[in-house]
Amino acid sequence: TSLERLPVTTVERSARAEASRFLLELGSALHRYGAGSPQIERALGQTALAYGLRVHAFLLPTALFACFDDEEPPRTQLVRLEPGEVQLDRLLRTDELCRRI
């Protein structure tokens, strides 16, 4: 059987958009501070679940693709990333933020 999607209210749409923006910023920060692609993809997937979203992330050295497929129609966003250097202190603080969420 197929699951029917319930209509999304304006408030829900706004909350999803805000959560999506946060996830993209989180992925960008993790990349900037030196996290590896698998770590970023895993962190985004787990954090998205905490917000009731599903995201498939794909990282390249200078790009983050995020597909939010729990929306109708699915939406894919691209974020241009600048190469960064490892900043262990910031990476640890950002990783701790992910764990708290």
Side-chain angles (χ1 to χ4, degrees):
T1 64
S2 65
L3 297 175
E4 292 185 35
R5 296 183 192 264
L6 297 174
V8 178
T9 67
T10 303
V11 172
E12 289 172 319
R13 190 173 289 119
S14 176
R16 285 181 182 204
E18 187 175 331
S20 297
R21 279 191 300 275
F22 172 75
L23 289 168
L24 295 172
E25 289 176 22
L26 176 62
S28 297
L30 287 168
H31 176 272
R32 185 171 43 255
Y33 302 149
S37 295
Q39 179 185 0
I40 297 169
E41 292 169 1
R42 186 173 40 257
L44 292 180
Q46 292 172 347
T47 305
L49 288 176
Y51 284 106
L53 300 176
R54 191 172 56 224
V55 66
H56 301 282
F58 178 73
L59 272 289
L60 295 171
T62 58
L64 162 62
F65 294 88
C67 177
F68 298 91
D69 67 356
D70 56 341
E71 298 178 8
E72 191 57 46
R75 177 175 50 90
T76 300
Q77 288 190 251
L78 165 66
V79 177
R80 172 80 166 106
L81 302 172
E82 294 297 325
E85 296 180 12
V86 175
Q87 298 179 34
L88 193 53
D89 181 52
R90 289 183 177 187
L91 181 58
L92 290 173
R93 287 187 292 178
T94 305
D95 191 51
E96 178 60 29
L97 173 66
C98 291
R99 275 183 256 200
R100 281 198 223 153
I101 293 173

